[in-house]
Amino acid sequence: MPDTRESALRGDCAQCFGLCCVALPFARSADFAVDKSAGDPCRNLQDDFRCGIHTRLRPSGFQGCTVYDCFGAGQHVSQVTFGGVSWREAPGTARQMYEVFPVVRQLHELLRYLTEALERPAARPLHGELRAALARVRELTALPAADLEKLDVAPVRAEVNPLLLRTSELVRATAGGRPRGRRGADLIGKRLRGAKLRGTDLRGALLIAADLTGADLTLADLIGADLRDADLSGAVLTDALFLTQPQLNSARGDAATVLPAGFERPSHWTS
């Protein structure tokens, strides 16, 4: 069965066939220097499936690549679903591999959230249900490629989402004070410098280019929050709930930003 440890739910490019560099499309923009269609290998993908400009992606105009993470779906599809046989070795599997990859990524994202929920002591009353949901999603990731290709993830997400919402309520209640909700709020470009957002529900909030300098985001629920270009300099994200590395990678910050345990400080943040 797939490994759901934290390390297995992060992209390991060395064990992947460059699937995000082939299967996914991108358009020329501030995030990508060129257009690329789904199924076409990126011009920077080398024969060994490594990126030829990995150390200079941002200055080369490929900022979008530095904020992406597949939650370990790439290595799972490459090494488990397709048994370590690449799309170059077996071109006939390419189309199916590209179709399966985004499906498994969605499942792995759910595994990531469920795994975190099980690590939260405040969610102990839900641990039985969370473990059962984790097992069900894990079983789906082990399906054959033909079944994964046809899998509709929406019903799976609909089953898991209420558990994550209840987890959020239990965890945020430990923050003290009256729980606040800004779920789905349009906070694009808002000045939230020093804001007291401890224990706030920011699920799905639009925080693009928001000024969160010095804000207190302790125990805030950030699942699905859009943090692109948000300024997290000096912000406190201690025990932020359902935060992911791609969210941090898309934001700005500095050495004073307080990160939860287990997260890496993005290399493009200021010192």
Side-chain angles (χ1 to χ4, degrees), residues 39-103:
D40 291 341
C42 174
R43 67 185 189 185
N44 300 307
L45 185 65
Q46 301 181 131
D47 291 342
D48 61 358
F49 301 112
R50 294 178 183 272
C51 175
I53 60 168
H54 180 72
T55 59
R56 58 182 193 280
L57 281 166
R58 281 183 170 263
S60 299
F62 288 85
Q63 176 177 312
C65 298
T66 69
V67 304
Y68 180 82
D69 189 271
C70 68
F71 298 105
Q75 64 259 31
H76 179 92
V77 172
S78 299
Q79 303 301 329
V80 179
T81 310
F82 286 87
V85 180
S86 76
W87 49 270
R88 281 186 173 141
E89 296 171 280
T93 67
R95 184 204 57 79
Q96 187 177 58
M97 194 178 294
Y98 304 157
E99 293 293 328
V100 166
F101 172 60
V103 173

Side-chain angles (χ1 to χ4, degrees), residues 116 118 123 133 179 208:
E116 178 180 344
L118 279 166
I208 302 168

Side-chain angles (χ1 to χ4, degrees), residues 24 34 61 67 70 107-108 213 269:
L24 305 180
V34 297
V67 304
C70 68
L107 294 174
H108 270 230
T213 304
W269 284 13

Side-chain angles (χ1 to χ4, degrees), residues 112-172:
R112 162 70 176 75
Y113 294 141
L114 288 166
T115 300
E116 178 180 344
L118 279 166
E119 294 171 350
R120 298 282 182 166
R124 191 173 302 280
L126 300 175
H127 279 188
E129 293 176 79
L130 288 166
R131 279 193 291 269
L134 183 73
R136 287 193 293 273
V137 178
R138 183 187 298 153
E139 288 173 358
L140 291 175
T141 67
L143 290 172
D147 293 330
L148 282 167
E149 185 180 9
K150 296 179 291 185
L151 181 67
D152 182 0
V153 182
V156 184
R157 194 178 295 277
E159 179 185 347
V160 170
N161 192 51
L163 281 173
L164 300 180
L165 284 169
R166 289 160 61 193
T167 296
S168 175
E169 292 169 357
L170 290 171
V171 173
R172 290 185 298 105

Side-chain angles (χ1 to χ4, degrees), residues 166-224:
R166 289 160 61 193
T167 296
S168 175
E169 292 169 357
L170 290 171
V171 173
R172 290 185 298 105
T174 67
R178 183 179 179 180
R180 291 178 292 175
R182 303 296 300 273
R183 185 184 305 176
D186 184 351
L187 301 170
I188 297 175
K190 293 291 185 181
R191 183 178 175 84
L192 298 168
R193 182 182 293 261
K196 306 302 181 183
L197 298 169
R198 183 184 181 93
T200 299
D201 182 358
L202 289 166
R203 169 183 285 246
L206 300 177
L207 290 158
I208 302 168
D211 181 3
L212 289 161
T213 304
D216 183 4
L217 292 157
T218 301
L219 291 169
D221 185 345
L222 293 169
I223 193 168

